[in-house]
């Protein structure tokens, strides 16, 4: 008797460099998310939030803005995205190309609207993922440089 194993259908890169770039991009996203959560959640509003103050907050309330800038914002989903990217890299796969380009575009638009800010840090994981994609694509098409 033989046993069959599930083979993922996503393209295998076969390149250690592509895996390392992908994993580094995911780690960079995790670091950005953790630093953002730490910086935006270090305040004394937590007891009120846990007591239910957010349910009766009115638009423009400082506590409501702090919630959306911290734990209610994009940091948690960005952290989950980082974990997913790390998992893909560990499985020997690179991400879909739109993830790196999308992060770079989103950061560029936010920097244009807001000016120099923490959104500049998203250039690091975006460029790592774009480099992994380009390197994986070039190796897939026969370039071994």
């Amino acid at each position: 008797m033989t046993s069959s194993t599930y083979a993922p259908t996503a393209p295998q890169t076969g390149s250690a460099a592509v895996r390392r770039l992908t994993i580094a991009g995911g780690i960079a996203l995790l670091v950005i998310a953790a630093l953002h959560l730490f910086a935006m959640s270090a305040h004394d509003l937590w007891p009120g939030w846990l007591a239910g103050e957010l349910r009766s907050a009115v638009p423009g309330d400082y506590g409501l803005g702090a919630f959306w800038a911290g734990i209610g914002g994009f940091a948690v989903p960005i952290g989950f995205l980082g974990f997913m990217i790390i998992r893909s890299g560990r499985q020997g796969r690179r991400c879909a190309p739109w993830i790196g380009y999308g992060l770079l575009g989103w950061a560029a638009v936010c920097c244009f609207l807001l000016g120099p800010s923490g959104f500049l840090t998203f250039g690091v994981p975006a460029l790592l993922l774009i480099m992994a994609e380009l390197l994986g694509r070039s190796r897939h098409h026969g370039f071994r440089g």
Side-chain angles (χ1 to χ4, degrees):
M1 292 200 134
T2 62
S3 64
S4 64
T5 58
Y6 171 75
T9 58
Q12 297 289 324
T13 63
S15 169
V18 172
R19 286 194 297 270
R20 283 193 303 267
L21 286 169
T22 302
I23 291 169
I27 290 171
L29 283 175
L30 280 178
V31 168
I32 291 168
L35 289 174
H36 181 77
L37 282 173
F38 179 74
M40 296 306 231
S41 298
H43 48 67
D44 59 352
L45 298 172
W46 284 96
W49 289 356
L50 296 173
E53 287 179 3
L54 285 174
R55 292 185 206 114
S56 61
V58 295
D61 183 23
Y62 173 77
L64 192 60
F67 171 78
W68 287 113
I71 194 76
F74 282 104
V76 173
I78 290 292
F80 288 138
L81 178 62
F83 281 122
M84 289 173 48
I85 290 171
I86 291 168
R87 180 176 180 220
S88 291
R90 287 183 177 163
Q91 292 174 344
R93 298 183 310 207
R94 60 186 187 269
C95 297
W98 60 265
I99 294 176
Y101 291 113
L103 281 172
L104 189 61
W106 174 59
V109 168
C110 289
C111 285
F112 174 76
L113 295 173
L114 190 60
S117 64
F119 285 105
L120 289 171
T121 62
F122 281 98
V124 173
L127 291 176
L128 287 168
L129 295 174
I130 290 169
M131 288 184 338
E133 168 61 23
L134 294 175
L135 182 61
R137 188 182 313 162
S138 66
R139 289 183 186 271
H140 179 71
H141 292 297
F143 177 73
R144 302 283 181 223

